[in-house]
Amino acid sequence: METFLNLMLIRFGLVVGGLVVLALLVFAVALHFKRRGRLDEVRRYADPVVKAGLRAVARQLESRSSGSGSSWSRRTDGRR
């Protein structure tokens, strides 16, 4: 049991560490574009992509909640 908990803790640490590195990378890129004066241009291009991604996630969550408990294997067949 102790080994399992250690592995879970290591996994959690790796996931959190990856998220921190990703956040720092996004911050560095945003800072770079701000210093170059191109942040507004990047926002203009990124805004539709972010909105489309959020809509896709919302549709996915909505379809999961309205599935009335159907299992994953039945959903892959195209049936509910």
Side-chain angles (χ1 to χ4, degrees), residues 2-36:
E2 184 181 350
T3 305
F4 175 74
L5 291 175
N6 285 337
L7 289 174
M8 293 301 290
L9 185 61
I10 290 170
R11 186 177 119 191
F12 177 74
L14 288 174
V15 169
V16 170
L19 289 175
V20 167
V21 168
L22 183 64
L24 287 172
L25 183 65
V26 168
F27 178 73
V29 169
L31 190 62
H32 171 75
F33 282 124
K34 184 176 172 101
R35 286 184 178 172
R36 301 277 182 208

Side-chain angles (χ1 to χ4, degrees), residues 47-61:
D47 190 41
V49 174
V50 170
K51 285 183 180 178
L54 289 175
R55 279 194 300 266
V57 169
R59 276 194 310 266
Q60 184 74 19
L61 290 174

